[in-house]
Amino acid sequence: VKADTLATQLSEERYQAEKDIWPIEDALKSYKRAADSIAAAQASATGEVPTVHFVVCHCRESLDWLDGDRFYMPAADKAHVDLFVYEKCSTPIDMSSIRPMFRHVEAVTVND
């Protein structure tokens, strides 16, 4: 964990000062809960690949951040990843560059 590593490099005084500004303890607790949950799921895994749904609310912004190294995608044998883009501005979306990364891609037009 980068946060743990960085925290150990701070003096106790500096660490306490940073805790007053940033929710460090809450973040570390949240990380531990997530890590414990993942470990428990892996321990009881049935060999079934989980399905993950990414949901993006969209209104004329670029979706480039979903492409390439900027967005972590698990290997296909680790998770089935589906993308749902909720288009709030009735603007057509070109998803041709990101479509190959996902098992399923769907644009859903909604009224904002």
Side-chain angles (χ1 to χ4, degrees), residues 45-88:
T46 61
E48 187 175 319
V49 177
T51 297
V52 178
H53 289 174
F54 283 105
V55 178
V56 177
C57 293
H58 181 263
C59 181
R60 293 187 283 273
E61 302 91 1
S62 170
L63 294 175
D64 287 349
W65 60 275
L66 289 170
D67 191 15
D69 295 339
R70 295 170 285 204
F71 185 73
Y72 171 75
M73 286 291 287
D77 63 330
K78 301 292 183 194
H80 298 297
V81 183
D82 299 336
L83 174 66
F84 297 87
V85 178
Y86 285 78
E87 176 52 56
K88 301 183 324 176

Short mmCIF file of all heavy atoms in Angstrom, two decimals, residues 45-88:
data_model
loop_
_atom_site.label_atom_id
_atom_site.label_comp_id
_atom_site.label_asym_id
_atom_site.label_seq_id
_atom_site.Cartn_x
_atom_site.Cartn_y
_atom_site.Cartn_z
N ALA A 45 -13.51 -18.82 -3.71
CA ALA A 45 -13.82 -18.77 -5.14
C ALA A 45 -14.25 -20.12 -5.67
O ALA A 45 -13.69 -21.15 -5.33
CB ALA A 45 -12.61 -18.27 -5.92
N THR A 46 -15.27 -20.07 -6.51
CA THR A 46 -15.80 -21.29 -7.11
C THR A 46 -15.20 -21.52 -8.49
O THR A 46 -15.61 -22.44 -9.19
CB THR A 46 -17.33 -21.17 -7.26
OG1 THR A 46 -17.62 -20.06 -8.12
CG2 THR A 46 -17.99 -20.97 -5.92
N GLY A 47 -14.28 -20.67 -8.87
CA GLY A 47 -13.72 -20.76 -10.21
C GLY A 47 -14.53 -19.95 -11.21
O GLY A 47 -14.14 -19.82 -12.35
N GLU A 48 -15.63 -19.40 -10.77
CA GLU A 48 -16.47 -18.58 -11.63
C GLU A 48 -15.87 -17.18 -11.75
O GLU A 48 -15.44 -16.59 -10.76
CB GLU A 48 -17.88 -18.48 -11.04
CG GLU A 48 -18.87 -17.79 -11.93
CD GLU A 48 -20.26 -17.84 -11.35
OE1 GLU A 48 -20.65 -18.88 -10.81
OE2 GLU A 48 -20.95 -16.81 -11.44
N VAL A 49 -15.81 -16.67 -12.96
CA VAL A 49 -15.26 -15.34 -13.20
C VAL A 49 -16.32 -14.30 -12.86
O VAL A 49 -17.45 -14.39 -13.36
CB VAL A 49 -14.82 -15.20 -14.67
CG1 VAL A 49 -14.32 -13.80 -14.96
CG2 VAL A 49 -13.75 -16.23 -15.01
N PRO A 50 -15.99 -13.33 -12.00
CA PRO A 50 -16.99 -12.32 -11.63
C PRO A 50 -17.27 -11.36 -12.79
O PRO A 50 -16.44 -11.18 -13.68
CB PRO A 50 -16.34 -11.57 -10.47
CG PRO A 50 -14.88 -11.76 -10.68
CD PRO A 50 -14.72 -13.12 -11.33
N THR A 51 -18.43 -10.76 -12.75
CA THR A 51 -18.80 -9.73 -13.72
C THR A 51 -18.77 -8.38 -13.02
O THR A 51 -19.31 -8.24 -11.92
CB THR A 51 -20.21 -9.98 -14.28
OG1 THR A 51 -20.21 -11.23 -14.98
CG2 THR A 51 -20.63 -8.88 -15.25
N VAL A 52 -18.12 -7.42 -13.66
CA VAL A 52 -18.01 -6.07 -13.12
C VAL A 52 -18.69 -5.12 -14.09
O VAL A 52 -18.43 -5.17 -15.29
CB VAL A 52 -16.53 -5.67 -12.93
CG1 VAL A 52 -16.43 -4.23 -12.42
CG2 VAL A 52 -15.82 -6.64 -12.01
N HIS A 53 -19.56 -4.24 -13.57
CA HIS A 53 -20.21 -3.24 -14.39
C HIS A 53 -19.60 -1.87 -14.06
O HIS A 53 -19.62 -1.47 -12.90
CB HIS A 53 -21.71 -3.17 -14.11
CG HIS A 53 -22.45 -4.35 -14.61
ND1 HIS A 53 -23.78 -4.54 -14.35
CD2 HIS A 53 -22.07 -5.41 -15.36
CE1 HIS A 53 -24.18 -5.66 -14.91
NE2 HIS A 53 -23.15 -6.21 -15.51
N PHE A 54 -19.05 -1.20 -15.07
CA PHE A 54 -18.62 0.18 -14.91
C PHE A 54 -19.73 1.05 -15.45
O PHE A 54 -20.21 0.85 -16.57
CB PHE A 54 -17.33 0.46 -15.70
CG PHE A 54 -16.11 -0.08 -15.03
CD1 PHE A 54 -15.49 -1.21 -15.52
CD2 PHE A 54 -15.58 0.56 -13.92
CE1 PHE A 54 -14.36 -1.71 -14.91
CE2 PHE A 54 -14.45 0.05 -13.30
CZ PHE A 54 -13.83 -1.08 -13.79
N VAL A 55 -20.15 2.02 -14.66
CA VAL A 55 -21.22 2.93 -15.05
C VAL A 55 -20.64 4.33 -15.10
O VAL A 55 -20.04 4.81 -14.13
CB VAL A 55 -22.39 2.87 -14.05
CG1 VAL A 55 -23.48 3.86 -14.44
CG2 VAL A 55 -22.93 1.45 -13.96
N VAL A 56 -20.80 4.99 -16.25
CA VAL A 56 -20.26 6.33 -16.44
C VAL A 56 -21.40 7.26 -16.83
O VAL A 56 -22.13 6.99 -17.79
CB VAL A 56 -19.18 6.34 -17.56
CG1 VAL A 56 -18.67 7.74 -17.82
CG2 VAL A 56 -18.04 5.40 -17.20
N CYS A 57 -21.56 8.34 -16.08
CA CYS A 57 -22.50 9.40 -16.48
C CYS A 57 -21.74 10.31 -17.43
O CYS A 57 -20.63 10.74 -17.13
CB CYS A 57 -22.98 10.18 -15.27
SG CYS A 57 -23.99 9.19 -14.18
N HIS A 58 -22.35 10.62 -18.57
CA HIS A 58 -21.63 11.30 -19.63
C HIS A 58 -22.42 12.46 -20.19
O HIS A 58 -23.63 12.37 -20.36
CB HIS A 58 -21.32 10.29 -20.74
CG HIS A 58 -20.56 10.87 -21.87
ND1 HIS A 58 -21.18 11.32 -23.02
CD2 HIS A 58 -19.24 11.09 -22.03
CE1 HIS A 58 -20.24 11.77 -23.84
NE2 HIS A 58 -19.07 11.65 -23.26
N CYS A 59 -21.72 13.56 -20.47
CA CYS A 59 -22.33 14.71 -21.13
C CYS A 59 -21.25 15.47 -21.90
O CYS A 59 -20.59 16.34 -21.36
CB CYS A 59 -23.01 15.63 -20.11
SG CYS A 59 -23.81 17.07 -20.88
N ARG A 60 -21.03 15.07 -23.12
CA ARG A 60 -20.11 15.73 -24.05
C ARG A 60 -18.63 15.70 -23.65
O ARG A 60 -17.82 16.32 -24.29
CB ARG A 60 -20.55 17.18 -24.31
CG ARG A 60 -21.86 17.29 -25.06
CD ARG A 60 -22.17 18.72 -25.45
NE ARG A 60 -22.66 19.55 -24.38
CZ ARG A 60 -23.93 19.67 -24.00
NH1 ARG A 60 -24.86 18.98 -24.63
NH2 ARG A 60 -24.28 20.47 -23.04
N GLU A 61 -18.25 15.03 -22.59
CA GLU A 61 -16.85 14.94 -22.22
C GLU A 61 -16.18 13.82 -23.02
O GLU A 61 -16.84 12.92 -23.50
CB GLU A 61 -16.66 14.63 -20.72
CG GLU A 61 -17.31 15.62 -19.80
CD GLU A 61 -18.73 15.21 -19.44
OE1 GLU A 61 -19.19 14.15 -19.89
OE2 GLU A 61 -19.38 15.97 -18.72
N SER A 62 -14.88 13.88 -23.08
CA SER A 62 -14.13 12.83 -23.74
C SER A 62 -14.14 11.57 -22.88
O SER A 62 -14.10 11.65 -21.65
CB SER A 62 -12.69 13.29 -23.95
OG SER A 62 -11.89 12.21 -24.37
N LEU A 63 -14.19 10.43 -23.52
CA LEU A 63 -14.09 9.16 -22.81
C LEU A 63 -12.69 8.56 -22.97
O LEU A 63 -12.47 7.38 -22.69
CB LEU A 63 -15.15 8.17 -23.33
CG LEU A 63 -16.59 8.55 -23.03
CD1 LEU A 63 -17.55 7.56 -23.70
CD2 LEU A 63 -16.84 8.60 -21.54
N ASP A 64 -11.74 9.40 -23.38
CA ASP A 64 -10.36 8.94 -23.60
C ASP A 64 -9.74 8.31 -22.36
O ASP A 64 -8.86 7.46 -22.46
CB ASP A 64 -9.47 10.09 -24.07
CG ASP A 64 -9.75 10.50 -25.50
OD1 ASP A 64 -10.50 9.76 -26.19
OD2 ASP A 64 -9.25 11.55 -25.93
N TRP A 65 -10.18 8.73 -21.18
CA TRP A 65 -9.60 8.20 -19.95
C TRP A 65 -9.89 6.71 -19.77
O TRP A 65 -9.25 6.03 -18.97
CB TRP A 65 -10.09 8.99 -18.74
CG TRP A 65 -11.57 8.98 -18.55
CD1 TRP A 65 -12.49 9.82 -19.14
CD2 TRP A 65 -12.32 8.10 -17.73
NE1 TRP A 65 -13.76 9.50 -18.74
CE2 TRP A 65 -13.69 8.45 -17.87
CE3 TRP A 65 -11.98 7.05 -16.89
CZ2 TRP A 65 -14.71 7.78 -17.20
CZ3 TRP A 65 -13.00 6.38 -16.22
CH2 TRP A 65 -14.33 6.76 -16.38
N LEU A 66 -10.85 6.18 -20.54
CA LEU A 66 -11.16 4.75 -20.48
C LEU A 66 -10.24 3.92 -21.39
O LEU A 66 -10.30 2.70 -21.38
CB LEU A 66 -12.61 4.50 -20.91
CG LEU A 66 -13.68 4.97 -19.94
CD1 LEU A 66 -15.05 4.87 -20.59
CD2 LEU A 66 -13.63 4.15 -18.67
N ASP A 67 -9.41 4.59 -22.16
CA ASP A 67 -8.60 3.92 -23.16
C ASP A 67 -7.15 3.80 -22.72
O ASP A 67 -6.59 4.70 -22.11
CB ASP A 67 -8.67 4.72 -24.47
CG ASP A 67 -8.10 3.97 -25.64
OD1 ASP A 67 -7.90 2.76 -25.55
OD2 ASP A 67 -7.82 4.63 -26.66
N GLY A 68 -6.53 2.70 -23.03
CA GLY A 68 -5.10 2.53 -22.81
C GLY A 68 -4.71 2.33 -21.36
O GLY A 68 -5.46 1.80 -20.56
N ASP A 69 -3.52 2.79 -21.04
CA ASP A 69 -2.93 2.57 -19.73
C ASP A 69 -3.54 3.46 -18.63
O ASP A 69 -3.23 3.27 -17.46
CB ASP A 69 -1.42 2.83 -19.77
CG ASP A 69 -0.71 1.83 -20.65
OD1 ASP A 69 -1.27 0.75 -20.90
OD2 ASP A 69 0.40 2.14 -21.11
N ARG A 70 -4.36 4.40 -19.01
CA ARG A 70 -4.92 5.31 -18.01
C ARG A 70 -6.03 4.68 -17.19
O ARG A 70 -6.45 5.20 -16.17
CB ARG A 70 -5.44 6.57 -18.69
CG ARG A 70 -4.33 7.38 -19.34
CD ARG A 70 -4.90 8.45 -20.19
NE ARG A 70 -5.40 7.81 -21.41
CZ ARG A 70 -5.56 8.41 -22.56
NH1 ARG A 70 -5.30 9.67 -22.66
NH2 ARG A 70 -5.98 7.76 -23.62
N PHE A 71 -6.53 3.54 -17.62
CA PHE A 71 -7.66 2.90 -16.95
C PHE A 71 -7.31 1.44 -16.74
O PHE A 71 -7.06 0.71 -17.69
CB PHE A 71 -8.90 3.04 -17.84
CG PHE A 71 -10.16 2.54 -17.22
CD1 PHE A 71 -10.77 3.24 -16.20
CD2 PHE A 71 -10.75 1.37 -17.66
CE1 PHE A 71 -11.94 2.77 -15.63
CE2 PHE A 71 -11.92 0.90 -17.10
CZ PHE A 71 -12.51 1.61 -16.08
N TYR A 72 -7.30 1.01 -15.49
CA TYR A 72 -6.95 -0.38 -15.19
C TYR A 72 -8.08 -1.31 -15.60
O TYR A 72 -9.23 -1.11 -15.23
CB TYR A 72 -6.67 -0.56 -13.70
CG TYR A 72 -6.52 -2.02 -13.34
CD1 TYR A 72 -5.36 -2.70 -13.67
CD2 TYR A 72 -7.55 -2.72 -12.72
CE1 TYR A 72 -5.21 -4.04 -13.37
CE2 TYR A 72 -7.41 -4.06 -12.42
CZ TYR A 72 -6.25 -4.71 -12.74
OH TYR A 72 -6.11 -6.04 -12.46
N MET A 73 -7.73 -2.33 -16.37
CA MET A 73 -8.68 -3.36 -16.76
C MET A 73 -8.11 -4.71 -16.33
O MET A 73 -6.98 -5.03 -16.68
CB MET A 73 -8.89 -3.37 -18.27
CG MET A 73 -9.71 -2.23 -18.79
SD MET A 73 -11.43 -2.32 -18.31
CE MET A 73 -11.98 -3.63 -19.35
N PRO A 74 -8.89 -5.48 -15.58
CA PRO A 74 -8.41 -6.82 -15.23
C PRO A 74 -8.36 -7.71 -16.47
O PRO A 74 -9.06 -7.46 -17.46
CB PRO A 74 -9.46 -7.32 -14.23
CG PRO A 74 -10.67 -6.49 -14.49
CD PRO A 74 -10.20 -5.19 -15.04
N ALA A 75 -7.54 -8.73 -16.42
CA ALA A 75 -7.45 -9.68 -17.52
C ALA A 75 -8.80 -10.36 -17.71
O ALA A 75 -9.57 -10.52 -16.75
CB ALA A 75 -6.37 -10.71 -17.23
N ALA A 76 -9.10 -10.76 -18.92
CA ALA A 76 -10.40 -11.35 -19.24
C ALA A 76 -10.70 -12.60 -18.42
O ALA A 76 -11.86 -12.90 -18.13
CB ALA A 76 -10.48 -11.66 -20.73
N ASP A 77 -9.66 -13.33 -18.02
CA ASP A 77 -9.89 -14.53 -17.22
C ASP A 77 -10.10 -14.21 -15.74
O ASP A 77 -10.44 -15.07 -14.95
CB ASP A 77 -8.74 -15.52 -17.38
CG ASP A 77 -7.41 -14.98 -16.87
OD1 ASP A 77 -7.20 -13.75 -16.92
OD2 ASP A 77 -6.58 -15.79 -16.42
N LYS A 78 -9.92 -12.93 -15.35
CA LYS A 78 -10.11 -12.51 -13.96
C LYS A 78 -11.47 -11.87 -13.73
O LYS A 78 -12.01 -11.92 -12.63
CB LYS A 78 -9.02 -11.52 -13.54
CG LYS A 78 -7.62 -12.07 -13.65
CD LYS A 78 -7.40 -13.16 -12.63
CE LYS A 78 -5.97 -13.65 -12.72
NZ LYS A 78 -5.76 -14.89 -12.02
N ALA A 79 -12.03 -11.22 -14.76
CA ALA A 79 -13.34 -10.56 -14.63
C ALA A 79 -13.92 -10.27 -16.00
O ALA A 79 -13.19 -9.95 -16.94
CB ALA A 79 -13.20 -9.26 -13.84
N HIS A 80 -15.23 -10.41 -16.09
CA HIS A 80 -15.97 -9.96 -17.27
C HIS A 80 -16.36 -8.52 -16.98
O HIS A 80 -17.02 -8.24 -15.99
CB HIS A 80 -17.24 -10.79 -17.50
CG HIS A 80 -16.97 -12.23 -17.76
ND1 HIS A 80 -16.26 -12.67 -18.85
CD2 HIS A 80 -17.32 -13.34 -17.07
CE1 HIS A 80 -16.20 -13.99 -18.83
NE2 HIS A 80 -16.82 -14.41 -17.75
N VAL A 81 -15.93 -7.61 -17.85
CA VAL A 81 -16.15 -6.19 -17.59
C VAL A 81 -17.10 -5.62 -18.63
O VAL A 81 -16.83 -5.69 -19.83
CB VAL A 81 -14.81 -5.42 -17.58
CG1 VAL A 81 -15.05 -3.96 -17.24
CG2 VAL A 81 -13.84 -6.05 -16.59
N ASP A 82 -18.20 -5.06 -18.14
CA ASP A 82 -19.21 -4.43 -19.00
C ASP A 82 -19.22 -2.93 -18.72
O ASP A 82 -18.99 -2.50 -17.58
CB ASP A 82 -20.60 -5.00 -18.71
CG ASP A 82 -20.69 -6.50 -18.98
OD1 ASP A 82 -19.89 -7.01 -19.78
OD2 ASP A 82 -21.57 -7.14 -18.38
N LEU A 83 -19.48 -2.14 -19.75
CA LEU A 83 -19.51 -0.69 -19.63
C LEU A 83 -20.90 -0.18 -19.98
O LEU A 83 -21.44 -0.52 -21.04
CB LEU A 83 -18.47 -0.04 -20.55
CG LEU A 83 -18.49 1.48 -20.65
CD1 LEU A 83 -18.11 2.12 -19.31
CD2 LEU A 83 -17.57 1.95 -21.76
N PHE A 84 -21.46 0.64 -19.12
CA PHE A 84 -22.73 1.30 -19.35
C PHE A 84 -22.49 2.81 -19.27
O PHE A 84 -22.07 3.32 -18.24
CB PHE A 84 -23.77 0.88 -18.32
CG PHE A 84 -24.10 -0.58 -18.38
CD1 PHE A 84 -23.34 -1.50 -17.68
CD2 PHE A 84 -25.14 -1.02 -19.17
CE1 PHE A 84 -23.62 -2.86 -17.75
CE2 PHE A 84 -25.43 -2.38 -19.25
CZ PHE A 84 -24.67 -3.29 -18.54
N VAL A 85 -22.72 3.51 -20.38
CA VAL A 85 -22.53 4.96 -20.43
C VAL A 85 -23.91 5.59 -20.46
O VAL A 85 -24.68 5.39 -21.41
CB VAL A 85 -21.70 5.38 -21.66
CG1 VAL A 85 -21.56 6.90 -21.71
CG2 VAL A 85 -20.34 4.71 -21.65
N TYR A 86 -24.22 6.34 -19.41
CA TYR A 86 -25.49 7.04 -19.32
C TYR A 86 -25.30 8.42 -19.91
O TYR A 86 -24.69 9.30 -19.31
CB TYR A 86 -25.99 7.08 -17.88
CG TYR A 86 -26.53 5.75 -17.44
CD1 TYR A 86 -25.68 4.71 -17.09
CD2 TYR A 86 -27.90 5.51 -17.44
CE1 TYR A 86 -26.18 3.46 -16.73
CE2 TYR A 86 -28.40 4.28 -17.08
CZ TYR A 86 -27.54 3.26 -16.73
OH TYR A 86 -28.03 2.03 -16.39
N GLU A 87 -25.84 8.62 -21.12
CA GLU A 87 -25.68 9.86 -21.87
C GLU A 87 -26.78 10.83 -21.44
O GLU A 87 -27.95 10.61 -21.69
CB GLU A 87 -25.76 9.58 -23.36
CG GLU A 87 -25.72 10.81 -24.22
CD GLU A 87 -24.54 11.72 -23.90
OE1 GLU A 87 -23.40 11.26 -23.94
OE2 GLU A 87 -24.79 12.90 -23.60
N LYS A 88 -26.37 11.90 -20.77
CA LYS A 88 -27.32 12.85 -20.21
C LYS A 88 -27.64 14.00 -21.16
O LYS A 88 -28.58 14.73 -20.93
CB LYS A 88 -26.78 13.43 -18.90
CG LYS A 88 -26.50 12.38 -17.86
CD LYS A 88 -26.04 12.94 -16.53
CE LYS A 88 -25.17 14.14 -16.64
NZ LYS A 88 -24.80 14.74 -15.38
#
